[in-house]
Amino acid sequence: CKNSIAAAAAGVVDGKMVIAVGDTYGSLLVFDIHMKKIFEHSTSSDTVTTLTISDSGIVAGYATSHIKFFSLSALQYKLNLSTRLVTSLRYNFKIGMLVASAEDAIFVIDIKTFKIRTCIRSSNQLWTGALVMGNKVFATSYEKKKISRWKY
């Protein structure tokens, strides 16, 4: 990366072990296990805040509230989630769902169709992380000292 690394993730995409890093100016670089660059995508000053790996690509969350889905060769899809930065991304391989937390909402997204299945909004909590298991969403926030839980 040309700038400070803000997020990193590793996993298997299309049968290849990859390492993805994103920086404070929006660059996403993907390497193989030998650190040979496979793919690079750059935006102008759009900080990568979080990354996760799905079985078919890399998912990046940005400070501008966008989520971008990448294959190993190109940008595939872009979603604008909210008005606040994306704080976490978690992918559940078993059910094919991605959960994203932004500062003001939590989203469950079908990774095959890029459709938002559920949106949980809150004006009085700063969401810091979330995950999906089965038909339940679990989330943490800055204000609470417990894990919140919903069915979707």
Side-chain angles (χ1 to χ4, degrees), residues 3-150:
N3 301 289
S4 299
I5 294 174
V12 178
V13 176
D14 296 332
K16 296 178 186 170
M17 179 66 98
V18 298
I19 300 163
V21 294
D23 72 18
T24 55
Y25 281 88
S27 292
L28 171 70
L29 285 92
V30 181
F31 301 94
D32 68 13
I33 196 78
H34 304 290
M35 296 307 293
K36 179 182 173 196
K37 189 175 5 172
I38 299 171
F39 175 72
E40 180 175 1
H41 177 80
S42 295
T43 60
S44 57
S45 66
D46 191 5
T47 300
V48 177
T49 56
T50 184
L51 290 167
T52 194
I53 303 291
S54 77
D55 44 2
S56 60
I58 297 102
V59 186
Y62 292 85
T64 55
S65 79
H66 293 100
I67 290 181
K68 295 179 183 176
F69 299 82
F70 297 91
S71 68
L72 290 180
S73 60
L75 173 65
Q76 298 295 310
Y77 199 81
K78 178 179 170 180
L79 282 174
N80 186 14
L81 292 183
S82 66
T83 58
R84 309 288 294 275
L85 74 90
V86 179
T87 55
S88 76
L89 295 168
R90 295 292 178 270
Y91 178 64
N92 184 314
F93 288 88
K94 195 170 189 170
I95 61 173
M97 293 293 164
L98 173 76
V99 65
S101 62
E103 289 181 327
D104 59 349
I106 295 169
F107 302 87
V108 178
I109 303 161
D110 185 322
I111 199 107
K112 303 281 188 234
T113 63
F114 306 114
K115 302 280 185 216
I116 296 172
R117 297 267 308 265
T118 299
C119 173
I120 302 161
R121 294 219 178 260
S122 177
S123 59
N124 63 350
Q125 291 188 60
L126 173 66
W127 298 110
T128 56
L131 59 93
V132 61
M133 293 176 66
N135 67 345
K136 292 185 176 77
V137 175
F138 300 88
T140 57
S141 70
Y142 183 77
E143 292 78 15
K144 287 191 174 182
K145 294 181 180 170
K146 66 178 186 171
I147 296 172
S148 299
R149 180 180 72 175
W150 303 269

